[in-house]
Amino acid sequence: MRHRHLKVRLVKSEWLRYLLIATGLLSLLAGVVGLFLPLIPTVPFLLVAVICFSRSSERFHTWLVEHRHFGPVLKEYLAHGSVPLRAKCLALAAIWVSFPVTALVVVEALWLRVLLFSVAACATLYLLALRTVPRRSKGRAARQRDPDSTIP
């Protein structure tokens, strides 16, 4: 089923298409790893994956957007350019725990430390610039699912 948010415009260059598919798959893999490792943010990687797939593969894009777990966040982002507050907070927390630990404990080269902090700052600015999905009350959500509900 085609949805309004499934705007897929494939690039014409075949090598660029394969590069975008590879980048999308790597981002998706990093996002899945982020589900199990609390120091790796999931949401930014999923956003990169869906953007790459929207330019390279209609099949991968549709699969990701319609996915049972990833789909709702991605649909909200594609339709309204917003993410849930919980996802935004978790992504920011993961960024500011994992990047400084990596930069200060693992990495010795100064230029690489500066690069890691720059990437963390840019990802933070991007996430903060995104609109946040307004929080709905449970009663309101129930009424939206069941219009015949008698909940006031």
Side-chain angles (χ1 to χ4, degrees):
M1 168 166 45
R2 296 286 294 172
H3 296 285
R4 178 174 67 88
H5 59 272
L6 290 176
K7 293 180 182 174
V8 177
R9 293 184 335 198
L10 301 178
V11 294
K12 293 182 180 175
S13 170
E14 189 171 333
W15 71 269
L16 182 57
R17 187 170 168 255
Y18 289 126
L19 180 66
L20 286 170
I21 288 173
T23 304
L25 289 173
L26 287 173
S27 295
L28 180 61
L29 178 64
V32 170
V33 169
L35 290 172
F36 303 104
L37 296 177
L39 298 180
I40 299 174
T42 300
V43 174
F45 287 116
L46 291 180
L47 295 179
V48 169
V50 78
I51 290 168
C52 287
F53 291 151
S54 73
R55 301 290 291 163
S56 61
S57 171
E58 185 173 354
R59 187 179 92 198
F60 285 143
H61 184 262
T62 302
W63 173 81
L64 189 56
V65 171
E66 296 298 328
H67 192 273
R68 187 176 74 183
H69 299 291
F70 304 138
V73 171
L74 294 173
K75 284 179 187 177
E76 183 65 38
Y77 173 76
L78 293 171
H80 305 290
S82 59
V83 294
L85 180 62
R86 182 175 189 272
K88 190 183 278 193
C89 290
L90 287 173
L92 290 171
I95 287 170
W96 286 105
V97 168
S98 63
F99 278 72
V101 167
T102 303
L104 300 174
V105 175
V106 177
V107 175
E108 292 183 21
L110 179 63
W111 68 270
L112 192 51
R113 287 180 177 176
V114 170
L115 179 66
L116 284 170
F117 278 109
S118 299
V119 168
C122 290
T124 299
L125 290 174
Y126 178 73
L127 286 170
L128 291 175
L130 287 176
R131 291 186 312 177
T132 305
V133 176
R135 196 173 211 178
R136 292 187 295 189
S137 67
K138 290 186 181 187
R140 183 175 162 201
R143 281 194 307 276
Q144 287 178 345
R145 281 193 304 271
D146 183 13
D148 297 328
S149 175
T150 58
I151 299 173

